[in-house]
Amino acid sequence: MPRSRRRGVGLAARGADAPGSATVTPTTTDAPAPRPRWRRVAGHPLTHLVAALLVVALVQSFAVKVFQVPSASMERTLSPGDRILVDRISFATGDPRPGDVVVFDRPESWRDGRAPERALWRTVAGWFGDVFGFGPSNGDALVKRVIGEPGSTVACCDAGGRVTVDGAALTEDYIAADPPFEPGALDCDTEPRSMRCFGPVTLAPDEYLLLGDNRADSADSVSPCRTVSATAADAEAARTAACARTVPRDALIGPVFFRFWPLDRIGAP
């Protein structure tokens, strides 16, 4: 009896696979459709990098540009190698104001000679730096402080050795170093006269007079006037506008509003 029961079970099991019997087949899910090509391209890391560089280039061209301080002429306010941000919008909508620390393209009258020629690799690296703000620059920009604006008359010095604008003496607590001046011993009326003295310089409608904060070591608007007078003509030039060199309005790029390097001096200048 147990033996026949096992045989019946075996027949029943084989009958499940017999023709005409119902079978259960596993269900399969459809494979996901491939993403469109534009979505694959847009999601690629290289596309993200190119987009980021384009955004940086646009910001640098129209809003904020990165510059590196080239010399010690603005110490203690700015030091050589400082990385600064310049607002390019301000001068597109308004005019520079006295006291602004500004970046400007070096005018031809400020050049001592021809600009040095650069190798091709340096030119390419400079182009990248100018567009994206990383690396060297092909530009020739300087940073100084606005002292005189169009129509004003700037001179130095009053009896205390101070710069005057339209006859009013300036209080300039940002000056790091100035050529020596001693009333009665070395001033604008003694021989020799103080190298601090210049002007008066009356500015034309589109001219600005810019000085460095480190006056004793600054190639600025009046540095050609800061010479020991060798002849009467030199002395007379230093007493007038003949030795001064101004900056035209269209050479001014924008005011400096932030220093981001070095980190221990980060902040507004």
Side-chain angles (χ1 to χ4, degrees):
M1 185 70 181
R3 187 172 183 179
S4 61
R5 186 180 295 124
R6 285 197 300 270
R7 185 182 296 119
V9 171
L11 291 173
R14 285 195 298 271
D17 294 331
S21 62
T23 59
V24 179
T25 58
T27 59
T28 59
T29 58
D30 294 335
R35 291 191 304 169
R37 179 183 294 273
W38 70 268
R39 292 194 64 181
R40 296 200 303 272
V41 172
H44 195 280
L46 183 59
T47 303
H48 295 169
L49 175 61
V50 171
L53 290 176
L54 287 175
V55 170
V56 170
L58 289 173
V59 170
Q60 283 244 113
S61 298
F62 301 106
V64 176
K65 189 164 180 64
V66 177
F67 285 93
Q68 181 174 343
V69 177
S71 71
S73 68
M74 284 298 294
E75 288 185 326
R76 298 176 301 263
T77 304
L78 296 170
S79 297
D82 283 1
R83 290 282 182 167
I84 53 178
L85 298 180
V86 175
D87 178 6
R88 303 196 70 155
I89 298 175
S90 291
F91 290 174
T93 59
D95 292 322
R97 298 170 298 178
D100 285 348
V101 176
V102 301
V103 169
F104 61 100
D105 291 320
R106 187 196 300 266
E108 286 299 323
S109 61
W110 287 53
R111 298 185 187 278
D112 297 328
R114 294 180 56 188
E117 295 185 0
R118 297 187 176 99
L120 177 60
W121 71 267
R122 175 60 178 78
T123 301
V124 173
W127 174 86
F128 186 89
D130 288 334
V131 172
F132 301 112
F134 305 100
S137 171
N138 287 334
D140 189 8
L142 302 174
V143 55
K144 308 290 180 191
R145 188 181 297 273
V146 177
I147 300 298
E149 59 186 342
S152 63
T153 298
V154 186
C156 191
C157 304
D158 69 354
R162 295 175 296 179
V163 172
T164 64
V165 177
D166 295 331
L170 302 182
T171 300
E172 300 182 285
D173 53 6
Y174 43 74
I175 294 179
D178 221 348
F181 184 97
E182 185 178 348
L186 185 65
D187 58 27
C188 299
D189 296 318
T190 59
E191 292 294 341
R193 70 200 302 254
S194 170
M195 293 175 63
R196 191 183 301 188
C197 303
F198 67 86
V201 181
T202 299
L203 299 167
D206 66 339
E207 292 181 336
Y208 290 81
L209 189 140
L210 277 57
L211 300 180
D213 289 355
N214 187 11
R215 303 275 164 86
D217 186 22
S218 175
D220 52 34
S221 285
V222 300
S223 57
C225 307
R226 298 191 186 107
T227 59
V228 177
S229 301
T231 66
D234 292 337
E236 183 59 27
R239 289 184 172 90
T240 66
C243 57
R245 52 189 187 181
T246 58
V247 178
R249 174 67 174 81
D250 59 7
L252 298 173
I253 298 172
V256 178
F257 70 93
F258 194 76
R259 171 179 44 225
F260 67 91
W261 187 264
L263 295 179
D264 61 346
R265 291 176 6 105
I266 193 169

